[in-house]
Amino acid sequence: MKRIAPVLLLLTGTILAGSAHAGAPILLPGNLVVSVEGNGVQGATSGPYADNQAAPLTLFQFSHTGTSSASYVNAVVLPQTATGANHAISGEYGSSSEGGLQLTADGKHLIIMGYGVNAAAFNANPTAFGTTTTGSSKSTALGQSSSIACGAGCTAVPRVVAVVNADGTVDTTTALSGVFNGNNPRSVASVNGSSFYVSGQGTGSDATGGVFLAQRGATTATEITGLDATGSTVSQDTRFVVIHNGQLYVSVDSKGGSNAARSFIGTVGNGLPTGLTNPTGAGPDPDSTNGPIMLQGFGNSPGGTGKLTLTADQTNGVNKVGKQINLSPEDYFFANDDTLYVADSGDGKQTSASNSLGDGGLQKWSLIGGVWTLDYTLADGLNLVANTASSGTTGLLGLTGEVIGDEVELFATNFTAGDTDPTFLYGITDDLDSLTRPVDSHGNQTEIFTQLAAAPVDSNFKGVSFAPSAGVPEPATWALMISGFSLVGGLLRRRARSALA
């Protein structure tokens, strides 16, 4: 038997690899995956990309020991060339608001948004992709490319959804025109990878910003949030879209619209909407016609802009007790129905508060009596700087977590003042039941961020997620596995006959 076992392992290994690209990396459940824009080469000390240029999108996989350490495993580079119905996909190096990465609700796929263009082709002639038709002064920026028809000699750039499976295969057949024109595709959420809620920013009143719904393989999408606020003349401006317990949520941090400057997390429709939501503007945020409805308490008052006056537990080492600040939510994680962790960038886009400093770091919110309350902010170990600084970490961008017993293990990427500042992956463990910031007998904080990994030179870490589960093999894979095991059985019988002869 000892001589036969290696044959079995070799055959089953070949069968499993047969469902992926030749030599494709394997993403293992429980590992962390980080989206990377830029050079994306582990250990690189230099790279060819400048701020705002198109660059490859890469996924780094890390094994980890709780939140105390992590080790690089491998990388999946998303396609830079079109193949069949699949499109190339790139990111904008230095963009502060894209690259969100998360699992589908069923846990079987990773999903991320980008731009449907080869990076080198775009960088060779950016204006050929409509960067001067969208009203921007950044004519070389990928995010300013047109996603709508832009005239003779101009090639529009669709915004593309990438679906990444545990076996390393990537689907980029969903390439959407008419969304996020001249601006960033930020995030995508999905139940099972068959349809997608996409979120991002448009340009002015072109109706291409906000949340949209698209079917897998589609080229157009259905409006979910529509135009914004007064007179419904400005595109919505939304960030991370998430599905939790069958309800669609989105984060907002915007100064767009004549009276729609606001920063909060809110629900979008009732459950999983398929068309325009909240058409009458009913609910706690009357400025949000068709748009998200602010979670009760996530702001200064019903209909508020998302500002609050800090208590001691809510400070982050940069701001102070009693100061009024603007929230700036990015990614977020529901530990349960009553506990919400929020990655706050510390660099709010709207300025309704009396103080310009934000509250960057990891915020813990609890639902108490139907109202969401900010319990405390965790920031020790992040080495935060004020949002007025020219460089350094002001807060957090990407976030994921899991509940283990009465603790929550959380993993985040940092948000920076400068577009191409160094970026990192951090880990921290929080007491799930605590409503006050944990400290020792001397008043020192006991929950401190650990730096787990640093992005290579000329690269930015953006989103973070756990790796997908492998799921159930496709019928063709089952057939190949059965054939393989039949072959193994034949070898066993042949060896048995040989032993008897």
Side-chain angles (χ1 to χ4, degrees), residues 101-124:
L101 180 70
Q102 65 176 305
L103 287 169
T104 53
D106 64 5
K108 295 181 180 179
H109 315 278
L110 283 170
I111 43 178
I112 188 172
M113 285 208 78
Y115 305 83
V117 65
N118 171 272
F122 177 87
N123 293 336

Side-chain angles (χ1 to χ4, degrees), residues 40-383:
V41 177
Q42 176 69 1
T45 57
S46 64
Y49 299 103
D51 191 13
N52 300 136
Q53 282 193 315
L57 277 171
T58 306
L59 304 181
F60 279 13
Q61 180 178 201
F62 296 92
S63 62
H64 65 101
T65 302
T67 60
S68 62
S69 65
S71 299
Y72 175 81
V73 176
N74 55 25
V76 177
V77 182
L78 302 191
Q80 276 288 292
T81 57
T83 304
N86 286 287
H87 292 253
I89 183 170
S90 297
E92 182 188 306
Y93 175 53
S95 170
S96 63
S97 63
E98 61 183 56
L101 180 70
Q102 65 176 305
L103 287 169
T104 53
D106 64 5
K108 295 181 180 179
H109 315 278
L110 283 170
I111 43 178
I112 188 172
M113 285 208 78
Y115 305 83
V117 65
N118 171 272
F122 177 87
N123 293 336
N125 188 10
T127 58
F129 298 93
T131 57
T132 59
T133 68
T134 58
S136 170
S137 59
K138 297 181 179 179
S139 62
T140 61
L142 176 59
Q144 312 311 314
S145 60
S146 178
S147 72
I148 60 179
C150 48
C154 175
T155 301
V157 177
R159 278 33 176 177
V160 171
V161 176
V163 183
V164 184
N165 302 315
D167 63 7
T169 54
V170 181
D171 180 294
T172 54
T173 60
T174 308
L176 305 174
S177 299
V179 296
F180 320 134
N181 179 51
N183 231 310
N184 308 109
R186 290 172 172 158
S187 65
V188 53
S190 176
V191 173
N192 56 19
S194 63
S195 62
F196 309 99
Y197 291 101
V198 297
S199 173
Q201 186 175 4
T203 301
S205 58
D206 66 4
T208 67
V211 178
F212 295 79
L213 174 63
Q215 302 303 308
R216 188 164 179 164
T219 58
T220 59
T222 300
E223 287 182 285
I224 297 299
T225 52
L227 291 172
D228 194 1
T230 301
S232 295
T233 59
V234 178
S235 287
Q236 292 276 354
D237 179 5
T238 54
R239 294 181 178 269
F240 283 79
V241 62
V242 166
I243 296 171
H244 172 68
N245 278 356
Q247 174 62 54
L248 186 64
Y249 296 83
V250 74
S251 57
V252 177
D253 180 23
S254 175
K255 59 183 177 183
S258 57
N259 72 342
R262 59 200 190 279
S263 301
F264 63 89
I265 292 172
T267 57
V268 182
N270 183 18
L272 301 176
T274 58
L276 285 175
T277 59
N278 186 32
T280 62
D285 186 9
D287 289 339
S288 187
T289 302
N290 290 335
I293 301 298
M294 184 179 71
L295 296 180
Q296 284 280 14
F298 210 105
N300 46 309
S301 63
T305 56
K307 60 186 177 183
L308 57 80
T309 300
L310 296 171
T311 66
D313 277 359
Q314 296 167 351
T315 59
N316 64 3
V318 175
N319 49 37
K320 296 180 179 180
V321 175
K323 294 293 184 181
Q324 189 184 72
I325 58 89
N326 295 299
L327 300 169
S328 48
E330 297 286 349
D331 206 353
Y332 45 101
F333 166 69
F334 284 92
N336 53 43
D337 289 345
D338 300 325
T339 309
L340 173 64
Y341 291 91
V342 178
D344 191 291
S345 72
D347 189 21
K349 301 302 178 288
Q350 54 94 6
T351 56
S352 64
S354 58
N355 190 284
S356 62
L357 294 177
D359 191 38
L362 180 62
Q363 298 171 349
K364 182 178 185 178
W365 293 73
S366 294
L367 183 61
I368 301 172
V371 177
W372 287 95
T373 301
L374 176 56
D375 300 322
Y376 51 86
T377 301
L378 298 172
D380 269 18
L382 295 177
N383 300 314

Side-chain angles (χ1 to χ4, degrees), residues 1 3 5 12 39 71 84 130 175 194 220 236 260 388 437 444-445 454 466 468:
M1 283 298 271
R3 290 177 303 202
T12 54
N39 194 31
S71 299
S194 63
T220 59
Q236 292 276 354
T388 53
R437 189 159 57 192
N444 299 313
Q445 294 183 39
F466 286 103

